[in-house]
Amino acid sequence: MEIHFVYYNLNMKSHHSFLIILTLLLSLSACKTDKTETIDVINWKVAQNYYIENIDLASKYLDSLKVEGLKGKNTKHYFTLAREAFKKAEPFASYLNPEVGHRTNGPALPVYKEDTGKILKPIGLQKIEESIYNQDTSITDFNQEIYVTQGLFAILKGNMQNRALTPQRFFIATHQQLLRIVSLGMSGFDTPVSHLGIKESAISLKSLQTVYNNTIKSSILKKNKTLDDTFNNSILKAINYIKQNQDFDSFDRFTFTRDYLNPITRHWVSIRKTADIWKPTNTEPFNFDAPTFFESNSFNLNYFTTTTNRNPSDKQIALGEKLFFDTQLSANNSMACVTCHSPALGYADALTVNLDNNGNKLQRNTPTLINSAFQKSFFWDGRSETMIEQISSVFLNDKEFNTNVHTFSEAILQDTTYIKLFKEAYGQVPKNNTNVIKALSSYISTLNGFDSKFDKNIRGELDNFTDEETLGYNLFMGKALCATCHFMPLTSGTVPPFFTETEKEVIGVPKTAKNNKLDDDSGFYYKYKEDLHKGMFKTPTVRNIAITGPYMHNGVYNTLEDVLNFYNLGGGGGLGFDLEHQTLPFDNLNLTETEQQAIIAYLETLTDVPKINTLKQPL
């Protein structure tokens, strides 16, 4: 706003006075215009201080915990308060430093450092929880756990002090925290022993409301008061629903997610758009415009795709689809991708293990390709980091395609359709398999299914989930602990909310269905020869599991009943195998036969095979 200083003397002519008055009027008019167009200034510092104050508070509660001791009257009380304070700080703290945030509130398991070969002991809040509730830790080790965790808090606090809270950081961090509720809080992943995760989900929602009210609320009120009211009411309803029943085993996660949490995420998308202070980029795992985490487009495929093959054209996908069915990709024309990944069988093969190009058995079971694009490692042992690398390995494997990546079978071009497709897709006829592999990857990345009976019901599009299926979902997310490894909503081992890694687990799969001998496949152990990794395999998705058996890396189980029985008994450790590094959380699950059948009923609702279009060749 300009300020006009007007000087005049009493002896000036009248028209000079008129000009002065006119100038003043114009100045006042300008002031009025400036005021009308003023954009609300959001005080992000208030929210930033809120996050910092709570990480400080979490550390102070750990001080009280240390004074109380491992077996004190108020030990669990102070631990609970420390966790609640951390959950309030977690969105911003973990957004700024995902690795430290995850270690602070990650699983109480040793971590192998690939760069040094060292194994780091379990640390963080989950390790403290384990010590308190299991009472199997010395007071010296307990105090050390507190000391290390406070050190992690200090690192997170330093980041929050040195890096300002901005609209981008606020909206991304909030999106991540909402997903934590869906995938980590509700499932017990955050609190596997104390089961405080249900209550903490209410803490996270209340914290979101607090930060919202201290930042962008005033702007939303001016633009859409109804949206502000419905958003705040939806949070209050969700919190009240949690307060009615915080019991871990009986909490109805299906109803809570569908009827209480999904409305919050829908309103949050509207709030972000209404605020209009940050435009999402294409660099995060999420589609920020998706109204829930269960949409067919909730996740950003480009984030999971190698940079050399993002945004493929329709022509490149069509070429990859045709190549998928062509046996001429293999050296002796005996194998194509479809040989092991049949659309009619959920892009698996229904065999215990498939056969190589000479008709001999391969080592491992064929996994489905559906939703495989949303992974950060490939093959059962996780030896390939990208799909491009995985497909290249199939070409190079002398038991599979046995074709050098840098050569190309001109026999393929005898089908003149290929000449046109290659030119349209890549501008030239190939001289090697580089573009062949890219095209295959582009096609496989389209084989995604997020419109199953479950998805349509959790989104509220259908209302035909049976009581048994609902019970099965609640067990999957709760008592049975399935979702602590098969994270919702992808149901795979790709870890939310950052999706930078796909988990591998040691579960002790037997050699045969008799369950009397441990399988001798060492899995991920091959890479570092570290005992911690013996028998370690990637956690696959369970979507379409009803049609993609047999199960496990060696196809040992033919039915889902066999699989549920294995986990219910406690995995390999429960079968009596000597497994020092098994990663399953308990010896057994104590699931009844009715409960196991309910979980299977739920798993069957996850079937959603992409439609076969006209480009596909007959089997």
Side-chain angles (χ1 to χ4, degrees), residues 339-341 345-355 361-369 378-383 390 400 509-510 519 521 537-538 540-541 544-545 547-559 563:
T339 305
C340 299
H341 301 283
L345 299 170
Y347 290 86
D349 60 17
L351 300 174
T352 300
V353 294
N354 211 302
L355 305 180
K361 286 186 177 181
L362 290 166
Q363 184 181 17
R364 294 171 183 154
N365 178 259
T366 300
T368 179
L369 292 182
F378 297 81
F379 291 114
W380 277 104
D381 55 17
R383 65 182 180 273
Q390 186 268 336
E400 295 181 289
V509 175
D519 187 60
D521 189 338
F537 294 92
K538 183 183 70 175
T541 182
N544 292 287
I545 194 171
I547 61 171
T548 54
Y551 308 105
M552 305 302 191
H553 70 271
N554 57 358
V556 65
Y557 294 131
N558 289 317
T559 70
V563 174

Side-chain angles (χ1 to χ4, degrees), residues 372-403:
S372 62
F374 298 98
Q375 299 179 139
K376 285 295 183 178
S377 64
F378 297 81
F379 291 114
W380 277 104
D381 55 17
R383 65 182 180 273
S384 292
E385 295 183 358
T386 68
M387 188 180 294
I388 291 286
E389 185 181 331
Q390 186 268 336
I391 297 171
S392 298
S393 296
V394 173
F395 273 75
L396 292 169
N397 192 331
D398 60 3
K399 294 181 180 180
E400 295 181 289
F401 284 7
N402 194 26
T403 304

Side-chain angles (χ1 to χ4, degrees), residues 18 164 172 251 320 342 366 426 432 441 464 554 602 616:
F18 172 78
I172 296 177
F251 187 78
S342 168
T366 300
Y426 295 103
N432 57 48
S441 174
N464 61 354
N554 57 358
Y602 161 66
K616 291 183 179 170

Side-chain angles (χ1 to χ4, degrees), residues 51-63 81-82 84-86 88 153:
Y51 292 129
I52 294 171
E53 289 165 3
N54 275 289
I55 203 73
D56 266 341
L57 191 58
S59 189
K60 289 177 182 177
Y61 283 131
L62 287 188
D63 282 334
L81 293 177
E84 289 180 357
F86 174 76
K88 294 176 183 179
F153 285 166

Side-chain angles (χ1 to χ4, degrees), residues 42-53:
I42 298 171
N43 189 352
W44 293 106
K45 193 67 178 177
V46 174
Q48 184 172 352
N49 289 338
Y50 170 84
Y51 292 129
I52 294 171
E53 289 165 3

Side-chain angles (χ1 to χ4, degrees), residues 514-561:
K514 294 180 179 180
N515 292 339
N516 58 6
K517 184 179 180 181
L518 183 66
D519 187 60
D520 56 8
D521 189 338
S522 58
F524 187 61
Y525 175 80
Y526 86 93
K527 190 166 186 178
Y528 299 106
K529 307 300 182 185
E530 170 56 55
D531 285 348
L532 186 69
H533 300 148
K534 278 187 177 179
M536 180 173 280
F537 294 92
K538 183 183 70 175
T539 302
T541 182
V542 296
R543 285 178 173 270
N544 292 287
I545 194 171
I547 61 171
T548 54
Y551 308 105
M552 305 302 191
H553 70 271
N554 57 358
V556 65
Y557 294 131
N558 289 317
T559 70
L560 289 173
E561 283 78 6

Side-chain angles (χ1 to χ4, degrees), residues 299-318:
F299 296 93
N300 173 21
L301 188 59
N302 271 343
Y303 171 84
F304 296 88
T305 306
T306 179
T307 55
T308 59
N309 203 40
R310 290 177 180 169
N311 298 309
S313 67
D314 291 342
K315 296 292 185 182
Q316 290 167 348
I317 294 170

Side-chain angles (χ1 to χ4, degrees), residues 497-510:
F498 305 114
F499 299 102
T500 56
E501 64 170 322
T502 298
E503 274 193 352
K504 306 176 192 73
E505 305 281 351
V506 178
I507 62 175
V509 175

